[in-house]
Amino acid sequence: NSGKRSSYPWINTQIIAAAETGVLQHLLATVVAHLPQMNLVNLSTAIHRLAKLTANDPRAQAELQQHKTMGELLQAITTAFARLDSGEVQPQSLSNVAWSLAAMRLLDRPLIQVVAQLTVANINRFKPFELSTMLWALAKLGSMQQAKTWSAKSVFHAAAAHIMKQVQHFGFRCLATTAWAFATAKQRHARLFRSIAAQMVPMVHVANCQEMANTAWAFGTADFHDDQLFTALAEKALLRLNEFKPQELSNVLWGFATNSFFHEAFYASASV
């Protein structure tokens, strides 16, 4: 039905306009008004905008989780994904939905299971940013208390094989996020970390402080030692020491110390 198809872009503009007011109740009312007519793009836009609007606001997130619209939205997304043939799914929709759930600290098992299955089936179609975001989200959700009996191991397994073949297409930020996700999810993979380290060394000059801190922490947590990478990180960090937040600097120091890596100039300056 072409009339219905032409209304999907209009629904998206309504969701975005409501989100940009910054008023949660207005965005929820807009979602309620259009939910029965939404397609998957509309649904993933709705959850993504709700997540962005309530990010870093535990009270707003708690309010959202109690709202019956949230349950209806999650159910609609789960149903829409489940109806798709695996080749029809857009990796960006999967990545956006997973990021949204993690940002809202919302472990919806039926939805996450469908997302995980479709991710494994479409792993070769993910762009580096989409895949590293997916892994970040799954690691974040997996670290929640209620996730004890849930695991995204199959996604990490498929992602490791894919990333090792495609590592040259990954920038520093995506690799840092990937290493952090594997370490946080306690997914040990020495060959993947070796290939990430080799790709990172020539790119350290583009890394920001948070990416360097996440990398050092991830390699320390994964107990994977790479002298060349650590030396490059220490030399770059030395030049930008005054830009590091205290937590970032302590993550770098911890990552180095855990791996028994010592860079005299960096330690001397960092401890001042």
Side-chain angles (χ1 to χ4, degrees), residues 2 12 41 60 66 83 88 139 141 154 160 188 192 203 207-208 215 250:
S2 64
N12 242 38
V41 172
Q66 299 306 313
R83 280 191 185 137
E88 293 177 312
L141 288 165
S154 60
R188 287 181 64 84
L192 174 68
M203 295 195 290
N208 65 29
T215 300
S250 78

Side-chain angles (χ1 to χ4, degrees), residues 38-242:
M38 286 187 191
N39 70 357
L40 188 50
V41 172
N42 301 146
L43 292 166
S44 60
T45 301
I47 195 168
H48 195 241
R49 290 294 176 147
L50 284 165
K52 281 177 89 167
L53 193 55
T54 58
N56 309 316
D57 186 345
R59 259 178 62 187
Q61 287 179 354
E63 182 188 337
L64 195 53
Q65 289 182 23
Q66 299 306 313
H67 203 286
K68 77 179 183 73
T69 305
M70 199 64 208
E72 290 165 6
L73 179 60
L74 294 169
Q75 180 60 60
I77 297 170
T78 306
T79 304
F81 274 140
R83 280 191 185 137
L84 291 176
D85 288 334
S86 69
E88 293 177 312
V89 75
Q90 292 302 316
Q92 189 182 357
S93 288
L94 292 169
S95 173
N96 281 351
V97 168
W99 179 88
S100 303
L101 292 174
M104 293 187 287
R105 301 189 57 73
L106 195 55
L107 187 69
D108 186 86
R109 284 168 197 263
L111 178 50
I112 277 293
Q113 262 163 339
V114 173
V115 165
Q117 285 161 4
L118 288 169
T119 299
V120 172
N122 288 278
I123 203 84
N124 296 329
R125 295 175 54 221
F126 274 77
K127 292 174 183 158
F129 176 73
E130 293 165 348
L131 186 52
S132 59
T133 301
M134 172 65 73
L135 296 171
W136 174 89
L138 293 174
K140 205 89 172 153
L141 288 165
S143 67
M144 287 169 59
Q145 189 62 29
Q146 57 268 50
K148 285 230 163 92
T149 58
W150 173 79
S151 161
K153 199 169 186 172
S154 60
V155 181
F156 282 92
H157 184 75
H162 173 72
I163 293 164
M164 284 190 294
K165 284 186 286 190
Q166 299 291 324
V167 73
Q168 73 277 15
H169 299 300
F170 281 68
F172 196 97
R173 174 172 297 179
C174 290
L175 291 170
T177 303
T178 297
W180 180 92
F182 270 82
T184 301
K186 299 182 172 57
Q187 299 293 322
R188 287 181 64 84
H189 203 298
R191 280 192 307 133
L192 174 68
F193 272 76
R194 191 173 302 121
S195 113
I196 287 176
Q199 181 70 8
M200 276 181 154
V201 171
M203 295 195 290
V204 165
H205 64 282
V206 302
N208 65 29
C209 297
Q210 187 185 5
E211 290 157 6
M212 287 190 277
N214 284 351
T215 300
W217 179 89
F219 274 73
T221 302
D223 196 21
F224 189 86
H225 187 94
D226 191 286
D227 242 22
Q228 221 185 337
L229 175 61
F230 284 0
T231 301
L233 285 171
E235 286 170 1
K236 170 73 193 255
L238 200 47
L239 302 174
R240 301 180 60 180
L241 221 42
N242 60 341

